[in-house]
C-alpha cells in the first residue's frame, strides 16, 4: 500500500529536482517551473495511478517534453512575428510613397 504523504513528498522533491535540471540545461526559471507545473497538472488529471517506482521517470520525461514543445512553439511564433513585421513594414513604406 502506498503512503499518500510519502508520495506527495516524492512528487515535491522530484518537482524541485527537475526544475533545477531544466535550468542547468539552459531553461529560464519561469519556463522550467511552467513545464513542471504542467506535468503536475497532467499527473492529477490522469485516470491512472503512477507507481512510485515509475513516478520520477514519468515526471522527468513529461517535463522535458513539455519544455521542448514550449521552446519550439516559442521559436515558431517568433518566426511568424518576424514575417508579419516584415510585411507590415513593407506595406507601411508603400503607403508613405
Amino acid at each position: 500500500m502506498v503512503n499518500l504523504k510519502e508520495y506527495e513528498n516524492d512528487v515535491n522533491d522530484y518537482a524541485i529536482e527537475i526544475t533545477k535540471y531544466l535550468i542547468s540545461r539552459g531553461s529560464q526559471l519561469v519556463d522550467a517551473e511552467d513545464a513542471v507545473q504542467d506535468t503536475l497538472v497532467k499527473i492529477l488529471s490522469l485516470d491512472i495511478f503512477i507507481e512510485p517506482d515509475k513516478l520520477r521517470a514519468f515526471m522527468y520525461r513529461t517535463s522535458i517534453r513539455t519544455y521542448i514543445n514550449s521552446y519550439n512553439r516559442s521559436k515558431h511564433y517568433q518566426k511568424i512575428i518576424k514575417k508579419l513585421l516584415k510585411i507590415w513594414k513593407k506595406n507601411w513604406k508603400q503607403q508613405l510613397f
Side-chain angles (χ1 to χ4, degrees), residues 1 7 10 12 31 33 36-37 39 42-43 46-47 52 56 59 68-69 74-75 77 79 95-96:
M1 181 122 193
Y7 194 82
D10 287 346
N12 287 330
D31 296 331
E33 289 175 337
V36 172
Q37 183 179 23
T39 299
K42 183 174 262 188
I43 290 171
L46 289 175
D47 289 337
R56 185 171 184 259
M59 288 182 67
I68 290 170
N69 289 341
S74 175
K75 280 180 30 180
Y77 289 151
K79 287 180 184 178
Q95 289 178 358
L96 288 178

Side-chain angles (χ1 to χ4, degrees), residues 1-3 6-8 10-11 14 43 46-61:
M1 181 122 193
V2 176
N3 181 336
E6 286 180 20
Y7 194 82
E8 288 177 8
D10 287 346
V11 168
Y14 297 152
I43 290 171
L46 289 175
D47 289 337
I48 60 170
F49 176 75
I50 301 169
E51 294 295 324
D53 60 333
K54 296 180 181 176
L55 180 63
R56 185 171 184 259
F58 175 85
M59 288 182 67
Y60 260 93
R61 185 172 53 250

